[in-house]
Amino acid sequence: MRWIFAGIYAPELVVFVAWRQWCSARMLQKQIDQLPDHSSKTDSNRDITRSGSHKPGWTMVHSFFACAGGFSVELDSLSGAIPPAVTPNAGAVDEAARPTRLTLTARGVLFLAQNGLLPTVYREEIDDKSKANDLAKATVIVQATWMLVQVIGRLAARLPVTLLEVNTVAHVICAFGMYIFWWNKPLLPSEPFVLRDESMAPLVAFMYSSSEISGQVSETVIKSQTPVKTLLAKMLQYSTTPELESLCLRMDDIDQRRDSSAPTLDMPIFQSPLMISIQKEFVKSGGMSESEMKAMVPECTLLSSAREYRFQPAPQSCLQLLHDLKAKEEGTAFFERRPRVIYNSEMKPRDDPDIRRWDLMNEALQSDPCLLSDRVLLSHQIYCESFSGKFISCIHLKPEQLVARHISNWPSNDLLRNVDGLIVGIILWLANLFYGAFHAAAWNEHFPSSTEKWLWRAAAAYIAFCGGFWVILNSAVSKWARLNNFWEKWMDGEKSWAETILLGALVVLCGSGFILARMYLVVEAFLSIRQLPVEAYQTPQWTDVFPHL
């Protein structure tokens, strides 16, 4: 229902969504094509296919299907590694809704493909789920083209164009863009292809910890945040901190563990594949120079096997350092940011699912140390008494949205993209500017009354103004960080009550006016047909030659 209203009152928004999904699907397709061997190892029918049997090719249809949440994992071995889902009822646990099925995002599908686990699905199977065909799409495009031909003919014959025709042409142009971007997109699947290869459990545990689903918090915790966060949480416009961001990889003494069964990585020799990978990523991220790392190797090779790298909750000092350094991702439009609900991992009690999940994550690192490649968010050294008062490396990995319970149609961080958020935001608001400018082209057309004429002009001008204003504002934010800092502090509720209320009232007032302006353009387009000039009923002579489909 929400997308029906969006298609009626904000058609360019649907085109923007189609463009984002097309960009993600195309990027996924290119990334998979560039893999050394993208033949599938995981069969969607719960089996492993490692032999040389025929494998289907990966197409844009597959990529769109993956972006829409067409693939999921359901593993019995994860039942004790993933905690139950939290329901909206004050954090109550719903045992029947345990997140045993995780939907793969576009990033998640690429992650599996990079690890040789690309799902094996034939295009015919996806088409069978979709029930959409090119003939139906082509018919719609022909009908839309006929509408454009009629309007162009009226303009050429100097006949008036009604407001309903102006509004319809705006929707037709948007429909063209939507069908171009979504030509290869199947309909949303009612039931995804489920992967049940139990050998994927270590990777899936890592994917879960890397995604926002692992940072879910109860409604009680959300309400304890700032008033702005509480309001946006009610609107489901908040994000949580993935567990992986609050964990760290560091060497520690086995005697210092709180739980002897806590997962570890056996590291008797510094030159193991995992340690080599850690060295490379630590040097690359600037945590230590290459000469310092080389000088450190002889000391570490003498360490006993009781010294191990393992996942563990990051100390509060590390979390504060992450908070300070990760203030803003470069190139991200500030309107994209949602206030995050962050919990202190040191205060979170360790339970059996945590221990089991971290154990699986360590297995994934042992079997594939390349998981660290380009995933280091922060690397630094901390003082550790367990190492005779020496400094040891502490590595924090970068989380990605790899799995989710449900994939939303609205583009978010689960989609791939090769342009920064600033460009994405500018494109969105440019489309809004053109939508308002297109309706402003009917500035001097016939209106039933003078009041309706001025309301139409005001609505079209305001929509175009908002688009231009946000384009300029997004560009200004990239140059003046103080604007972005002010907005983010307001989103986090760190401004004074006066500033919070003032800016909140301004946002509500402008946003309400923006919605009313869009609604008026659509409603007035239909109301205006009650009184049309005589010329509006005339048609150009040459259009009679073409049959109307």
Side-chain angles (χ1 to χ4, degrees):
M1 184 62 68
R2 288 180 296 179
W3 284 106
I4 293 177
F5 280 101
I8 293 174
Y9 297 107
E12 82 281 7
L13 189 62
V14 182
V15 179
F16 169 78
V17 172
W19 170 73
R20 282 285 290 112
Q21 294 177 354
W22 175 80
C23 288
S24 178
R26 185 182 65 168
M27 189 173 178
L28 177 60
Q29 179 70 36
K30 288 184 176 180
Q31 294 276 5
I32 291 178
D33 288 342
Q34 291 173 0
L35 294 177
D37 179 14
H38 63 269
S39 59
S40 307
K41 290 185 180 179
T42 300
D43 189 90
S44 63
N45 198 22
R46 308 168 180 83
D47 296 325
I48 300 294
T49 57
R50 302 183 187 275
S51 61
S53 59
H54 174 69
K55 306 289 174 47
W58 189 271
T59 66
M60 279 291 290
V61 174
H62 290 79
S63 296
F64 268 117
F65 193 72
C67 292
F71 299 98
S72 64
V73 291
E74 191 171 309
L75 308 178
D76 294 334
S77 56
L78 289 178
S79 58
I82 297 179
V86 177
T87 63
N89 298 325
V93 174
D94 185 2
E95 295 293 342
R98 295 177 64 89
T100 54
R101 174 176 292 189
L102 302 175
T103 303
L104 297 176
T105 66
R107 295 177 182 270
V109 172
L110 178 60
F111 179 82
L112 289 183
Q114 291 170 339
N115 288 275
L117 296 170
L118 186 66
T120 301
V121 175
Y122 289 89
R123 175 171 176 171
E124 291 76 12
E125 298 178 82
I126 298 178
D127 291 338
D128 183 66
K129 285 179 173 286
S130 174
K131 305 299 183 185
N133 56 67
D134 295 342
L135 179 60
K137 299 175 183 177
T139 302
V140 173
I141 289 181
V142 170
Q143 290 176 324
T145 303
W146 173 251
M147 178 64 197
L148 286 179
V149 170
Q150 282 187 312
V151 173
I152 293 174
R154 296 188 64 84
L155 292 174
R158 299 186 180 278
L159 293 175
V161 177
T162 65
L163 301 182
L164 183 58
E165 288 174 321
V166 172
N167 186 259
T168 302
V169 169
H171 284 74
V172 165
I173 294 175
C174 292
F176 275 124
M178 181 184 67
Y179 273 97
I180 289 174
F181 291 125
W182 276 347
W183 188 268
N184 291 312
K185 181 184 177 180
L187 298 180
L188 292 180
S190 57
E191 184 67 18
F193 291 102
V194 183
L195 310 179
R196 291 188 170 89
D197 178 9
E198 295 295 333
S199 65
M200 298 168 53
L203 279 178
V204 175
F206 182 87
M207 296 167 69
Y208 172 86
S209 181
S210 176
S211 307
E212 286 187 11
I213 189 176
S214 64
Q216 56 182 325
V217 290
S218 67
E219 188 174 339
T220 303
V221 176
I222 296 173
K223 287 182 177 180
S224 67
Q225 304 290 319
T226 61
V228 176
K229 284 187 178 180
T230 302
L231 174 62
L232 293 176
K234 286 291 185 181
M235 301 169 60
L236 301 180
Q237 292 297 314
Y238 70 94
S239 60
T240 57
T241 301
E243 177 191 56
L244 187 63
E245 191 170 318
S246 60
L247 298 179
C248 67
L249 271 175
R250 64 187 177 99
M251 196 174 288
D252 207 350
D253 194 326
I254 193 172
D255 297 329
Q256 299 297 322
R257 298 180 198 153
R258 300 178 187 175
D259 190 337
S260 60
S261 63
T264 62
L265 291 173
D266 295 331
M267 297 303 302
I269 301 177
F270 193 79
Q271 296 301 323
S272 67
L274 177 60
M275 285 301 295
I276 294 175
S277 179
I278 288 176
Q279 291 177 52
K280 291 180 179 179
E281 293 302 319
F282 199 67
V283 171
K284 183 192 301 183
S285 60
M288 182 183 296
S289 67
E290 189 170 358
S291 59
E292 291 174 328
M293 181 63 74
K294 289 181 179 180
M296 179 181 174
V297 171
E299 294 185 13
C300 293
T301 56
L302 299 177
L303 295 175
S304 67
S305 59
R307 312 285 187 176
E308 301 160 338
Y309 260 92
R310 64 189 179 93
F311 275 108
Q312 56 186 298
Q316 187 61 33
S317 58
C318 289
L319 295 179
Q320 185 61 45
L321 187 59
L322 277 174
H323 181 270
D324 294 339
L325 295 182
K326 199 187 172 202
K328 187 61 186 172
E329 180 182 340
E330 184 179 358
T332 299
F334 70 93
F335 73 90
E336 286 186 316
R337 181 185 182 276
R338 296 177 295 167
R340 309 180 74 185
V341 178
I342 303 176
Y343 63 89
N344 188 337
S345 62
E346 283 191 315
M347 302 302 295
K348 181 178 180 292
R350 297 185 184 185
D351 49 23
D352 292 338
D354 291 335
I355 295 174
R356 172 60 178 157
R357 183 169 60 256
W358 297 342
D359 192 13
L360 290 172
M361 292 167 61
N362 286 330
E363 290 181 24
L365 282 177
Q366 283 182 322
S367 60
D368 189 4
C370 293
L371 288 179
L372 293 178
S373 299
D374 299 322
R375 291 185 180 276
V376 174
L377 177 65
L378 172 67
S379 58
H380 59 108
Q381 298 182 64
I382 59 175
Y383 181 79
C384 185
E385 295 181 356
S386 301
F387 285 88
S388 303
K390 295 182 180 295
F391 286 89
I392 64 172
S393 61
C394 183
I395 300 176
H396 303 265
L397 302 185
K398 183 188 307 180
E400 279 189 287
Q401 187 73 349
L402 302 177
V403 294
R405 288 197 179 89
H406 173 72
I407 302 298
S408 173
N409 277 330
W410 178 254
S412 60
N413 57 355
D414 60 291
L415 294 180
L416 297 167
R417 70 182 185 189
N418 53 6
V419 294
D420 57 40
L422 179 62
I423 301 300
V424 172
I426 289 178
I427 291 176
L428 172 61
W429 290 107
L430 276 177
N432 180 86
L433 187 153
F434 289 131
Y435 181 81
F438 189 87
H439 285 81
W443 196 274
N444 294 317
E445 294 294 337
H446 176 81
F447 290 85
S449 67
S450 177
T451 301
E452 291 172 90
K453 174 187 290 188
W454 283 106
L455 286 175
W456 178 280
R457 292 176 174 178
Y462 182 68
I463 293 173
F465 167 78
C466 288
F469 174 77
W470 281 91
V471 168
I472 296 174
L473 193 57
N474 273 273
S475 301
V477 164
S478 64
K479 298 181 181 297
W480 295 287
R482 293 183 62 182
L483 289 174
N484 182 70
N485 293 336
F486 179 85
W487 176 262
E488 291 196 352
K489 286 183 178 180
W490 178 79
M491 291 283 282
D492 286 334
E494 298 178 3
K495 306 301 293 185
S496 65
W497 275 103
E499 291 174 316
T500 299
I501 295 175
L502 180 61
L503 185 56
L506 184 62
V507 170
V508 171
L509 181 62
C510 295
S512 300
F514 184 76
I515 294 174
L516 291 175
R518 285 184 167 274
M519 294 179 64
Y520 177 78
L521 292 181
V522 176
V523 173
E524 177 60 24
F526 287 92
L527 292 179
S528 63
I529 61 177
R530 74 181 188 273
Q531 183 181 337
L532 296 175
V534 177
E535 295 81 3
Y537 298 96
Q538 300 178 5
T539 58
Q541 296 296 321
W542 59 271
T543 57
D544 296 335
V545 179
F546 299 94
H548 190 356
L549 297 179

